[in-house]
Amino acid sequence: MKRTIAIVAGGDSSEHDVSLRSAEGILSFMDTEKYDCHVVEIKGKDWHVHYGTELLPVHRDDFSFTAADGPHHFDFAYITIHGTPGENGILQGYFDLIGMPYSTSDVLVEALTFNKFSLNRFLQSFPDIRIADSLLLRKGEALPATADMVQRLGLPCFVKPNAGGSSFGVTKVKTAEELQPAIERAMQESEEVMVEALMTGTEITCGCYRKGDEVVTFPITEVVTTQEFFDYDAKYNGKVDEITPARIQPETAQRVAETTRRLYRLLGCYGIIRIDYILTGEPGAEQINLLEINTTPGMTATSFIPQQVRAAGLDIKDVLSDIIEGRF
């Protein structure tokens, strides 16, 4: 008997449509000899499954649905929601309550990695993990003086939603006068905003996943864009060169892979994650600086992870099968 897989997409953030594109990618990658797959689209309390040409409501009490041919129950949830509620632990808590296995890390890991500032504070307790200095601002609370923020973090700096992705609401601030409008823009995406010091260097990203007891890293991608930074336009409108494997020294690539595996184990992750870094310093002896950890990375045909899987000589359908079968 084939397992029935729900590819859970959509969500309540600005990344709703990006998530649906990832769901299309995952649907095309799945091993159809092993799995019957259906996309479940979530937005608020509106949960529907795409079943053939029909759009049917999902029963939230047990995550099932009823079609003309009878009731249907899922065996596994492959979560590809970017943002709330699929990347911050909320949906994971629901699936834990109903006993449904899923593709991502657990509630605590998802909540921690989604909150950039909290994740940075946790990881800074490990002295060999390098992270840029930052400040946390909350909507409704008095903001520090602009001069104080600039003195501490310097210019240019980044202003970004503390809980968000796809670079929505992110601004590279070059002057003190731009700081307040950038904070207001970021607060439209998140109740909390992080102001972060700029790190200048080579931007790279490394994906990995757990296969049995082994954490498998993929070839590293170098990110080169003509934009001010790797923003939405660069990510989704082609204004970027994504070079896999990255043009870095072999010893640097090895250290990045080791760092990625260590962070994966340290946090207790599951499924595919992608970690972004900035390399600073002399080639071959660069400092590895953590930018962000993405626990539900994009999965379109041109996204980083499918690129890296291909570069590793692996078949993406086998990777997805490893993740699903690892929960049974």
Side-chain angles (χ1 to χ4, degrees):
M1 294 290 291
K2 291 183 178 180
R3 298 194 198 277
T4 303
I5 310 298
I7 302 171
V8 189
D12 304 325
S13 75
S14 298
E15 297 181 272
H16 181 98
D17 291 346
V18 176
S19 168
L20 292 179
R21 295 206 292 272
S22 285
E24 291 175 4
I26 292 170
L27 185 63
S28 71
F29 299 145
M30 282 287 188
D31 188 339
T32 55
E33 293 184 2
K34 290 183 178 178
Y35 308 115
D36 287 324
C37 302
H38 307 286
V39 174
V40 173
E41 184 176 350
I42 289 176
K43 188 171 181 63
K45 294 182 179 179
D46 183 14
W47 294 22
H48 284 84
V49 59
H50 295 256
Y51 186 66
T53 59
E54 296 182 280
L55 195 62
L56 303 172
V58 171
H59 310 308
R60 289 194 299 275
D61 55 344
D62 63 355
F63 202 61
S64 67
F65 67 96
T66 304
D69 56 357
H72 294 262
H73 295 268
F74 291 108
D75 300 304
F76 184 89
Y78 198 104
I79 301 171
T80 189
I81 290 177
H82 312 311
T84 188
E87 201 173 6
N88 57 0
I90 294 174
L91 198 57
Q92 287 77 7
Y94 160 77
F95 285 131
D96 284 342
L97 285 172
I98 66 169
M100 174 74 65
Y102 51 85
S103 60
T104 69
S105 308
D106 65 19
V107 173
L108 177 59
V109 177
E110 293 296 318
L112 178 62
T113 53
F114 192 65
N115 188 301
K116 298 178 179 69
F117 190 80
S118 295
L119 175 66
N120 287 357
R121 296 287 79 74
F122 169 69
L123 292 178
Q124 282 176 336
S125 64
F126 301 91
D128 57 329
I129 298 175
R130 304 299 292 269
I131 299 168
D133 190 20
S134 61
L135 294 169
L136 182 68
L137 313 176
R138 289 190 173 93
K139 187 179 290 188
E141 294 186 1
L143 301 180
T146 297
D148 292 340
M149 288 189 280
V150 170
Q151 182 177 13
R152 173 168 169 176
L153 301 174
L155 289 172
C157 65
F158 278 104
V159 174
K160 57 183 69 174
N162 191 41
S166 290
S167 298
F168 286 109
V170 176
T171 305
K172 184 178 181 180
V173 173
K174 297 181 178 179
T175 68
E177 292 73 25
E178 296 173 347
L179 194 55
Q180 183 66 36
I183 292 169
E184 293 173 0
R185 190 176 307 116
M187 283 186 174
Q188 294 175 8
E189 295 288 332
S190 174
E191 295 286 317
E192 296 181 336
V193 168
M194 189 165 71
V195 185
E196 186 176 56
L198 174 70
M199 293 185 291
T200 302
T202 301
E203 184 168 351
I204 60 170
T205 185
C206 183
C208 70
Y209 81 110
R210 183 184 296 278
K211 181 178 181 179
D213 294 330
E214 181 186 6
V215 177
V216 178
T217 53
F218 304 131
I220 298 160
T221 300
E222 180 181 351
V223 183
V224 182
T225 178
T226 56
Q227 304 293 94
E228 282 288 347
F229 62 99
F230 190 46
D231 61 5
Y232 184 91
D233 219 18
K235 289 175 179 175
Y236 302 111
N237 295 324
K239 297 183 179 181
V240 64
D241 288 326
E242 301 168 0
I243 303 164
T244 310
R247 299 169 299 181
I248 58 179
Q249 297 295 321
E251 55 267 34
T252 300
Q254 182 178 348
R255 288 194 295 120
V256 170
E258 289 171 353
T259 299
T260 301
R261 287 190 292 268
R262 183 185 175 213
L263 288 167
Y264 191 102
R265 291 192 178 99
L266 184 66
L267 291 164
C269 295
Y270 190 78
I272 297 173
I273 73 166
R274 200 193 74 231
I275 305 183
D276 303 337
Y277 303 95
I278 292 283
L279 300 178
T280 56
E282 293 297 318
E286 298 98 332
Q287 177 68 56
I288 302 170
N289 305 280
L290 176 69
L291 270 182
E292 188 170 341
I293 297 178
N294 189 327
T295 60
T296 58
M299 290 292 285
T300 68
T302 58
S303 295
F304 287 127
I305 292 298
Q307 287 184 52
Q308 293 178 2
V309 170
R310 288 193 296 271
L314 301 173
D315 191 325
I316 187 69
K317 74 176 182 181
D318 294 332
V319 173
L320 298 181
S321 295
D322 287 340
I323 292 167
I324 295 168
E325 298 306 319
R327 290 300 203 190
F328 293 96

